[in-house]
Amino acid sequence: MNTQESLFNAVVDDLVEHSYSIQINKAPIEICKKLLEQAVNNNNLFKAASVGRNNLQIEDKTIRSDKTKWITGQSQTEKDWLSWCEDLKNHLNRSLYLGLNNFECHFSIYEPGDFYQKHVDAFKGKSNRKVSMVLYLNENWQPEHEGQLVMYPEGKPALKLDPTFASFVVFLSEDIPHEVLASQHDRYAIACWFRID
Ligand code: OGA
Ligand code: MN
């Protein structure tokens, strides 16, 4: 079994057991380095993130204050990342029969003071988003930079995760409320949602 396949198997096992999976420094390193470079260089193209469901998208800085930029495959780096996501989607479908047939990803940047209040990515039966993934791109992240992801699995203690380079989390979009604590440092990540459209 190759390393990607055993990584994806570990994600599947965790999803079955806990509805989430945390993988520290396991994403493809070369792609992550280039994604970070691209995010830093295109910083000026990021736009205030919106919140809401379906066609009601509003900018609400009391809920989240990060900025985002969609990943469309416009560079080889973006293509490489989307292809890794496609592999993960196919693996989830083969192992869990999820029937995922689409996905979307965006970069996000949290500048000092930025946060995202506790939320779910999908309301039961109301959204096409089924599986969420967040990839972190921050080298040398220090505890005093805060900006942790906090997940609230039902009936279990909350989990706090530092957004460290090449680490990622996968979770069932409807099942895990989560938040991003105010970051004290520029914080780069990519959020992806695997969908049934
Ligand atoms: C999101 C989100 C978490 C993170 O964009 O919906 O919850 O750690 N992001 O950046
Ligand atoms: Mn979220």
Side-chain angles (χ1 to χ4, degrees), residues 64 106 110 116 119 121 134 136 149 178 180 187 189 191 193:
R64 68 186 297 186
H106 66 52
Y110 291 70
Y116 193 161
H119 65 281
D121 287 344
V134 189
Y136 299 106
L149 172 72
H178 55 281
V180 180
R187 174 195 194 269
W193 294 276

Side-chain angles (χ1 to χ4, degrees), residues 19-22 149-153 156-161 169-171 176-179:
S19 300
Y20 65 84
S21 178
I22 295 173
L149 172 72
V150 188
M151 289 192 287
Y152 300 92
K156 295 197 198 126
L159 285 154
K160 258 191 192 184
L161 178 66
V169 58
V170 182
F171 55 89
I176 308 279
H178 55 281
E179 71 178 309

